[in-house]
Amino acid sequence: MTYSLAIHGGAGTILKSRMTNEAEAAYHAGLATALAAGEAVLKAGGPALEAVTAAVCALEDNPLFNAGRGAVFTSEAKQEMDAAVMEGATRRAGAVGGIFGPKNPVRAARAVMETTDHVLLIGPNALAVARAAGLPFEEAAYFFTQARRDALDRMLELKRSGEGVADPASRHGTVGAVARDSAGNLAAATSTGGMTAKSPGRVGDTPVIGAGTFADNASCAVSCTGHGEVFIRWTAAAEVSARMRHLGESLEAAARHVVMEDLAPNDGSGGLIAVDAAGNISMPFNSEGMYRGSLRAGEAPVTAIYGEG
Ligand code: ASP
C-alpha cells in the first residue's frame, strides 16, 4: 500500500524572531495531530478526499490556525470563512465563500459538492446546505480568539496611521491538505478565515477552484496559502497542473516555478503544497515560513515551520 499526505497551516507564520519555544512546540503538535487524522484514513485504505477532509478539520478545530476556530476578523470585526474541496478522479469540487456558523467550513464545502449541482455557494443557502447535511454549527464565542482580535486592532491602527504592513505574511494564514490514496486517487482541501482586516464580503483564492485549490488525477492536487488576490490572478493551483500537463515538468519544478517565478515577483507572498499521481510531494513557499507537514506510507511524519521552501 502506498499513500502520501501533505498539510499546511498557512504561510502567514509568526516571524522567527518573535517565535517562542512554547508556541513553536504547539504549532508542531497541531500539525502532527492533523497528519495523524489524515493518515488514519489512508492507512485504513480510505479515499484521499476523506483524508484531506479529516486533516483540515483537525486544523480548523485548532485555534492556532486561521480557519474555523481562530479565524481572523474582517475590518468590521466579523469572521467570514472560505473553504473548498476537490476530488482528482472526477474533478468534482465544492466550495463556500464568506460563511459563518458551520464548525468545519471544509465539511460545508463537501456538502456543496456532494448534495448540490453547484461548485461554489455563498450566503444563507450555503448555510442551509450545511444544515441539511446535518453538520454541527457553533456560536461566535467558539470561533473567537483574543489573539486574532488583537491582530485586527493592530492592523486597523496601522491603516489609520498610514503605515504599511512591513510583513505581508502577518495578515494571512490558511489551512490545507493534499493526498494521494492507495488507489492512486488525489484530493485537495483548503479552509481559511482569509486576511486580517479584509473588507466584508471579500473572498480570497481558497474557494476559487484553480486558484487556491485544485485536484486532477492526471497531474496533481494543490492547496495554496498566501496573498489571495494574487493567487487568483495567477490561477496558482491550476497553473501547477498546467505546467505538468503541457510542459511535462515534474511536480517539484512546476510548483516551484509558480511560487518563485509567478507569485513572488508580483506581491504574491505565500506558498503551496502539492502531491502528484506517483505520490511525490512538493511544498515551496516564498515567505519566511509555512506551517507544514508531510508523510508517505511507511515513513515517519515530518513537520516544519521555517527553512527552505
Ligand atoms: N489565501 C488566503 C486568502 O487570501 C489567506 C492565506 O492563505 O494566508 O484568503
Side-chain angles (χ1 to χ4, degrees), residues 199-265:
S199 158
R202 178 266 190 187
V203 175
D205 60 312
T206 297
V208 178
I209 298 303
T213 308
F214 189 74
D216 177 15
N217 277 7
S219 54
C220 58
V222 182
S223 171
C224 298
T225 169
H227 187 175
E229 281 70 9
V230 182
F231 281 65
I232 292 173
R233 289 161 53 215
W234 263 262
T235 58
E239 191 67 9
V240 178
S241 165
R243 296 190 72 88
M244 292 175 71
R245 287 181 290 124
H246 304 310
L247 297 176
E249 286 186 356
S250 68
L251 178 78
E252 182 66 19
R256 290 196 76 80
H257 184 99
V258 169
V259 170
M260 305 300 180
E261 312 292 329
D262 293 345
L263 298 169

Side-chain angles (χ1 to χ4, degrees), residues 12-241:
T13 56
I14 296 176
L15 289 178
K16 197 165 186 193
S17 54
R18 294 216 197 112
M19 180 63 98
T20 62
N21 288 343
E22 207 177 38
E24 195 160 350
Y27 279 106
H28 280 288
L31 292 166
T33 300
L35 279 175
E39 184 172 26
V41 174
L42 296 170
K43 212 178 206 162
L49 180 67
E50 194 53 45
V52 294
T53 307
V56 166
C57 283
L59 293 163
E60 286 177 336
D61 292 346
N62 186 329
L64 286 177
F65 300 104
N66 173 17
R69 186 177 210 182
V72 300
F73 290 93
T74 68
S75 58
E76 294 185 351
K78 299 265 170 33
Q79 289 161 305
E80 298 180 354
M81 304 176 201
D82 305 332
V85 294
M86 188 161 180
E87 186 176 72
T90 57
R91 282 210 190 198
R92 284 199 311 161
V96 288
I99 64 162
F100 180 85
K103 177 171 179 267
N104 292 108
V106 70
R107 289 203 183 279
R110 252 187 92 168
V112 171
M113 180 176 107
E114 287 168 349
T115 70
T116 79
D117 294 331
H118 309 301
V119 168
L120 173 56
L121 285 184
I122 64 165
N125 195 40
L127 299 182
V129 164
R131 245 183 228 108
L135 301 184
F137 276 56
E138 291 289 349
E139 302 289 331
Y142 169 83
F143 294 106
F144 179 92
T145 56
Q146 193 60 48
R148 298 297 188 195
R149 188 52 235 237
D150 294 346
L152 172 64
D153 292 342
R154 277 198 304 275
M155 194 62 63
L156 293 178
E157 185 48 44
L158 280 176
K159 278 191 171 173
R160 263 193 299 272
S161 68
E163 262 179 74
V165 181
D167 175 23
S170 66
R171 281 190 68 194
H172 54 76
T174 283
V175 309
V178 293
R180 181 229 190 248
D181 62 30
S182 44
N185 289 312
L186 306 183
T190 317
S191 177
T192 190
M195 295 179 74
T196 301
K198 68 184 181 182
S199 158
R202 178 266 190 187
V203 175
D205 60 312
T206 297
V208 178
I209 298 303
T213 308
F214 189 74
D216 177 15
N217 277 7
S219 54
C220 58
V222 182
S223 171
C224 298
T225 169
H227 187 175
E229 281 70 9
V230 182
F231 281 65
I232 292 173
R233 289 161 53 215
W234 263 262
T235 58
E239 191 67 9
V240 178
S241 165

